[in-house]
Amino acid sequence: MEDELTVSQGKLMRRGYTTGSCAAAAAKAAAAMLLSGEEFRQVKLDTPKGIALTLDVLDICRAPGFVSCAIRKDSGDDPDDTHGALVYATVSRPDAEPPAEEHMRPLTASVEQLDPGVEIWGGLGVGKVTKPGLAPKPGGPAINPVPRRMITKEVQAVKARYGYDGTLRVVISIPAGTDIAPKTFNPRLGIVGGLSVLGTSGIVEPMSDRALIETMYAEMDSRKANGFEDLLVFFGNYGTDFARDEMHLDVSQAVTCSNFVGELLDYAVLKGFRSLLLIGHSGKLIKLAQGVMNTHSKYADCRSEFLALQALFAGAPVSVGKEIYGCNTTDEMTKILKREGLFEPVMAKAMEKIDFYMQKRVHGRLQTGAILFSNVYGILGKTEQAQELLERLRRNDARK
């Protein structure tokens, strides 16, 4: 692959390629073998990012009326559950006898055709969309728009090269997808039975923040399309577990924002949600009190500075401020604040500032609330509207 290396987090890391690129390359190779009668062991693909791929064509199966082959997914240095999975394309004329192998047969409804001469179907291990709000239509396979365009473009080019003007059917399958899918966000998005065929650039950037943000957007799109006006949001598993086990909330429709609070708030405004309640561990959420909207430690860590300063403002001696400043965890800081009788005024100021910065980000166009918790001390604080939003979410759950 050209431009194989990139710099991420101060390291040289290897790029990979998406399931969408695998599907398009497999479709191109299978179509060429079907129409030419020849066998190809490599295929070239130009990705939307402008990076050219030369990929090995694997597991070729040729029979009258159809050809099937696979491309192995390579995620580079990005941690990805789909790394190493085989992405198949089976290309046939629509009147051909269906192949005997399960993964070669269409198992879900055809997506809309971008070209009357190219049908794109989902096969084994490609998920089926069951809810509105995602780019693929409900009832069809989870093959996103860019991969669909890539597949169509490559098959069209092969048809033109060999002078074929009939229709070709392309079945995309990922047999390992049925086992991999439960490890992904797909079940939460209403995608059942397999993986999504993804990718906007065709290239996987290692440790990509953009991929996490796009996943968050997809979750929010799904909630909006299914009639949700009030969002419940967690940073990750800590918040989910606490809200479910200690607050007894229904977390099945919650959104995960990872570290991307700014993008979360911006997109909630864009999509027209009515309210957003963020429940977060003190180690992350307290950073919002300083206006930090990406809570990853590589960008900012103002926890001890903020709490030490507020303790001093509340009357703590300098020695206590220094003690808080020297702590490594917010639980240690909370223990000192409680010991010194400073917890309530400091936490009240923290929630006031979190409320201020959340509202500043949304320009007052969205009700926002936040609940700060600790696994040791429980709920530490709530912003002004948090209890109202919490009760609204409980009423919404009761009406389901």
Side-chain angles (χ1 to χ4, degrees):
M1 180 173 69
E2 296 177 11
D3 302 323
E4 185 175 353
L5 297 178
T6 186
V7 177
S8 179
Q9 300 184 30
K11 301 176 183 178
L12 272 179
M13 303 186 78
R14 192 171 63 85
R15 290 185 171 102
Y17 41 88
T18 63
T19 48
S21 288
C22 294
K28 178 180 181 179
M33 286 188 279
L34 177 67
L35 297 182
S36 71
E38 301 175 34
E39 186 168 292
F40 301 104
R41 290 291 176 175
Q42 284 193 322
V43 62
K44 293 184 178 180
L45 182 75
D46 291 324
T47 63
K49 192 177 180 71
I51 294 175
L53 303 175
T54 300
L55 304 174
D56 292 333
V57 181
L58 307 172
D59 201 12
I60 298 169
C61 179
R62 300 167 64 194
F66 75 87
V67 173
S68 176
C69 64
I71 302 294
R72 191 176 298 281
K73 169 71 183 298
D74 184 347
S75 300
D77 287 328
D78 192 64
D80 188 332
D81 290 319
T82 64
H83 179 72
L86 289 175
V87 180
Y88 285 82
T90 301
V91 178
S92 64
R93 297 175 177 87
D95 58 354
E97 186 72 20
E101 290 81 355
E102 185 180 15
H103 77 267
M104 297 182 187
R105 302 196 304 268
L107 301 179
T108 57
S110 174
V111 300
E112 66 272 21
Q113 292 177 241
L114 300 179
D115 177 89
V118 181
E119 297 179 359
I120 303 176
W121 296 65
L124 181 67
V126 172
K128 182 178 180 179
V129 179
T130 64
K131 296 180 181 180
L134 302 177
K137 293 181 179 179
I143 302 175
N144 277 18
V146 172
R148 196 164 63 239
R149 290 196 294 270
M150 292 171 68
I151 294 166
T152 300
K153 175 186 172 184
E154 297 301 337
V155 174
Q156 284 173 331
V158 171
K159 287 173 57 180
R161 185 187 317 145
Y162 294 105
Y164 178 76
D165 59 4
T167 297
L168 290 181
R169 173 174 294 173
V170 181
V171 179
I172 303 300
S173 58
I174 312 173
T178 53
D179 294 325
I180 298 171
K183 304 174 186 177
T184 71
F185 279 91
N186 275 11
R188 292 173 60 173
L189 298 175
I191 298 171
V192 299
L195 297 169
S196 301
V197 179
L198 298 171
T200 55
S201 70
I203 299 298
V204 175
E205 297 289 351
M207 308 300 290
S208 171
D209 285 355
R210 177 49 50 184
L212 294 172
I213 293 169
E214 293 293 343
T215 299
M216 177 180 73
Y217 288 168
E219 285 194 288
M220 295 170 75
D221 288 342
S222 177
R223 304 300 175 266
K224 187 66 176 178
N226 283 280
F228 289 83
E229 297 295 331
D230 307 298
L231 284 176
L232 174 62
V233 185
F234 306 116
F235 289 100
N237 291 333
Y238 283 171
T240 303
D241 294 344
F242 183 84
R244 181 189 61 237
D245 300 337
E246 304 298 328
M247 301 177 69
H248 308 295
L249 284 175
D250 179 0
V251 299
S252 62
Q253 298 300 321
V255 169
T256 301
C257 72
S258 185
N259 295 295
F260 308 106
V261 180
E263 288 83 357
L264 167 78
L265 295 172
D266 294 345
Y267 202 65
V269 171
L270 177 67
K271 299 299 291 186
F273 284 97
R274 176 173 57 180
S275 71
L276 183 154
L277 178 63
L278 175 59
I279 299 177
H281 188 276
S282 56
K284 281 190 177 292
L285 188 53
I286 198 68
K287 297 180 183 182
L288 268 67
Q290 290 286 73
V292 174
M293 290 289 158
N294 185 322
T295 58
H296 197 289
S297 58
K298 70 181 179 182
Y299 294 109
D301 187 2
C302 55
R303 299 168 301 162
S304 62
E305 290 88 344
F306 176 81
L307 292 174
L309 183 63
Q310 293 303 323
L312 293 171
F313 286 165
V318 171
S319 59
V320 170
K322 289 182 176 180
E323 186 180 3
I324 294 170
Y325 182 76
C327 291
N328 291 320
T329 70
T330 49
D331 283 339
E332 293 177 77
M333 302 172 207
T334 299
K335 181 179 180 180
I336 297 169
L337 292 172
K338 286 181 173 287
R339 183 194 73 199
E340 298 294 324
L342 297 168
F343 174 78
E344 290 187 3
V346 169
M347 203 51 57
K349 179 57 69 172
M351 302 317 296
E352 177 188 325
K353 297 295 287 184
I354 290 170
D355 196 20
F356 169 79
Y357 281 112
M358 290 181 77
Q359 276 298 299
K360 182 179 179 182
R361 184 74 180 218
V362 301
H363 304 287
R365 295 168 58 190
L366 170 75
Q367 273 189 290
T368 58
I371 297 176
L372 189 80
F373 76 89
S374 157
N375 293 115
V376 176
Y377 297 103
I379 292 176
L380 303 178
K382 299 177 181 178
T383 60
E384 184 177 356
Q385 297 189 76
Q387 187 61 36
E388 176 188 339
L389 300 186
L390 182 61
E391 291 171 1
R392 183 186 295 167
L393 288 168
R394 293 188 189 281
R395 289 195 299 271
N396 293 344
D397 291 343
R399 287 196 291 267
K400 291 178 183 176

